[in-house]
Amino acid sequence: MPYVDGFVLAVPTVNKEVYKQHAESTAIVFKEYGALKLTECWGDDVPEGEVTSFPLAVQCQADETVCFSWVIWPSREIRDEGWKKVMADPRMQPDKNPNAEMPFDGKRMIYGGFEMIVDR
């Protein structure tokens, strides 16, 4: 069964195109190292909750937009090896590639790996 990495983050709204370009270049690297698919979504109906919500989880500010992303891998094993290679790739390191700079505050991103249990 495939394995999924999921992400929720707040991106400055003015950085939408920069974020899209960052995601496009990141997808190339992830796919080279075994990812089947990388999906990026720009929020347009993401209500703020009273107790919890996507905006609250990432401390989204008024000038930011919540983004929801996922990477699908063939297996957990391929994902674990793929991540090591992705993180070591010079294209993903801002000190070696200025285009690798994240156009958002990575400290407020939430993420995790998930075992897929239903896929219909």
Side-chain angles (χ1 to χ4, degrees), residues 2-20:
Y3 196 79
V4 178
D5 281 315
F7 310 87
V8 180
L9 52 142
V11 177
T13 304
V14 299
N15 285 354
K16 183 176 183 177
E17 283 307 311
V18 174
Y19 180 74
K20 184 178 176 184

Side-chain angles (χ1 to χ4, degrees), residues 70-106:
W70 60 91
V71 180
I72 300 176
W73 302 89
S75 68
R76 168 80 189 262
E77 295 75 28
I78 292 172
R79 176 263 203 170
D80 289 349
E81 286 302 312
W83 263 109
K84 290 177 194 173
K85 293 173 183 174
V86 165
M87 297 312 293
D89 192 299
R91 293 172 290 177
M92 298 297 289
Q93 299 173 18
D95 59 329
K96 296 180 181 163
N97 177 8
N99 295 328
E101 188 71 37
M102 293 188 299
F104 56 89
D105 181 359

Side-chain angles (χ1 to χ4, degrees), residues 28-105:
I28 292 167
V29 177
F30 273 77
K31 290 183 88 174
E32 282 181 21
Y33 296 121
L36 299 173
K37 185 174 185 176
L38 185 140
T39 302
E40 297 281 350
C41 303
W42 190 261
D44 75 348
D45 184 17
V46 187
E48 189 166 325
E50 292 181 27
V51 177
T52 190
S53 65
F54 284 124
L56 289 172
V58 296
Q59 300 172 5
C60 191
Q61 305 300 308
D63 62 343
E64 295 177 322
T65 299
V66 173
C67 293
F68 178 49
S69 315
W70 60 91
V71 180
I72 300 176
W73 302 89
S75 68
R76 168 80 189 262
E77 295 75 28
I78 292 172
R79 176 263 203 170
D80 289 349
E81 286 302 312
W83 263 109
K84 290 177 194 173
K85 293 173 183 174
V86 165
M87 297 312 293
D89 192 299
R91 293 172 290 177
M92 298 297 289
Q93 299 173 18
D95 59 329
K96 296 180 181 163
N97 177 8
N99 295 328
E101 188 71 37
M102 293 188 299
F104 56 89
D105 181 359

